[in-house]
């Protein structure tokens, strides 16, 4: 027997014939990500009281991973194409694969908010920024940043500092606003996507110095 969380029944196969059951808000959100911003999306698990809708009792990331039996919705997908897929997984969270249109640099929320103010004042190019309910800020940057991050930090003299700063790249997924993450609450935009940066986010090196400096000075 499976269990039901947020409309997803653990261990169940995708539902068929349920096109009308997918909430309109879910469909339009995913269609915006795929059609307007040019991102791939994938249905993700939900969590309640620590239990994951994937049905695995020992799930390593409850409510924060893709459903392994769910297909991706590719960049460029239309509302009808999104509906056909998402209707099979009503209540699924929306996840964005990292390492394709963007990588991400993740810092503590406090540091991220302070860094964002500095970066905006400096007039530097910025992409979208999310903030998660568990207190993380994620800055979208050009693909390849996660791999290059150690070398970039070394060149900037931050390689020996104890920084709460991490790169997210291929194989990682970001929970997209306004989906719930891990049963803790919704992910939100700290800086919303824009047409000029959604598919062309800034190079990590342009932001990294400020992010590292603020992360170093911000309290743990």
């Amino acid at each position: 027997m499976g269990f039901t969380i947020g409309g997803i029944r653990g261990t169940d196969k995708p539902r068929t014939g349920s096109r009308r059951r997918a909430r309109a808000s879910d469909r339009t959100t995913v269609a915006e990500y795929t059609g307007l911003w040019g991102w791939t999306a994938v249905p993700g698990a939900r969590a309640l009281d620590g239990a994951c809708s994937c049905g695995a009792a020992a799930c390593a990331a409850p409510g924060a991973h893709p459903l392994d039996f769910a297909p991706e919705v590719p960049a460029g997908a239309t509302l009808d194409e999104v509906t056909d897929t998402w209707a099979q997984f009503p209540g699924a969270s929306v996840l964005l694969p990292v390492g394709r249109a963007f990588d991400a640099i993740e810092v503590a929320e406090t540091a991220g908010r302070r860094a964002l103010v500095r970066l905006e004042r400096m007039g530097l190019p910025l992409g979208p920024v999310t903030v998660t309910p568990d207190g993380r800020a994620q800055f979208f940057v050009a693909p390849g940043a996660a791999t290059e991050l150690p070398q970039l930090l070394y060149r900037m003299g931050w390689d020996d500092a104890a920084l709460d700063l991490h790169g997210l790249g291929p194989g990682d997924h970001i929970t997209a606003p306004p989906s719930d993450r891990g049963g803790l609450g919704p992910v939100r935009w700290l800086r919303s996507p824009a047409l000029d940066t959604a598919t062309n986010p800034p190079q990590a090196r342009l932001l990294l110095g400020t992010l590292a400096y603020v992360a170093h000075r911000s309290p743990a």
Side-chain angles (χ1 to χ4, degrees):
M1 292 291 290
F3 58 94
T4 301
I5 298 177
I8 307 173
R9 185 173 175 79
T11 72
D12 275 359
K13 298 295 184 180
R15 301 181 185 180
T16 58
S18 57
R19 179 185 177 102
R20 290 177 297 177
R21 297 177 190 172
R23 293 183 301 177
S25 59
D26 292 339
R27 300 196 307 265
T28 54
T29 295
V30 178
E32 178 180 319
Y33 289 148
T34 60
L36 185 58
W37 308 127
W39 298 333
T40 296
V42 61
R46 300 291 294 270
L48 181 64
D49 296 331
C52 187
S53 62
C54 71
C59 179
H65 67 86
L67 295 169
D68 57 10
F69 47 78
E72 292 185 348
V73 181
T78 65
L79 179 58
D80 284 345
E81 291 169 333
V82 167
T83 299
D84 287 340
T85 297
W86 226 261
Q88 302 176 54
F89 309 98
S93 61
V94 182
L95 299 186
L96 305 176
V98 186
R100 302 182 190 182
F102 60 87
D103 277 12
I105 299 177
E106 182 180 88
V107 296
E109 179 182 349
T110 300
R113 289 182 179 275
R114 292 175 179 172
L116 183 58
V117 171
R118 284 176 172 264
L119 291 165
E120 289 176 336
R121 287 176 178 171
M122 295 165 68
L124 292 173
L126 290 167
V129 184
T130 62
V131 62
T132 70
D134 53 343
R136 309 298 293 174
Q138 299 163 334
F139 288 72
F140 289 30
V141 292
T147 300
E148 298 171 356
L149 191 58
Q151 186 177 16
L152 289 172
L153 288 171
Y154 173 78
R155 290 177 179 175
M156 295 178 179
W158 289 107
D159 57 305
D160 59 349
L163 297 177
D164 182 6
L165 184 154
H166 309 281
L168 303 177
D172 295 318
H173 290 78
I174 282 178
T175 302
S179 290
D180 176 272
R181 179 171 176 80
L184 301 175
V187 176
R188 303 185 185 280
W189 290 116
L190 195 54
R191 189 175 193 274
S192 299
L195 287 173
D196 59 339
T197 59
T199 56
N200 188 31
Q203 295 294 321
R205 59 181 173 78
L206 299 176
L207 315 183
L208 190 55
T210 299
L211 288 171
Y213 173 79
V214 176
H216 179 66
R217 292 182 60 88
S218 296

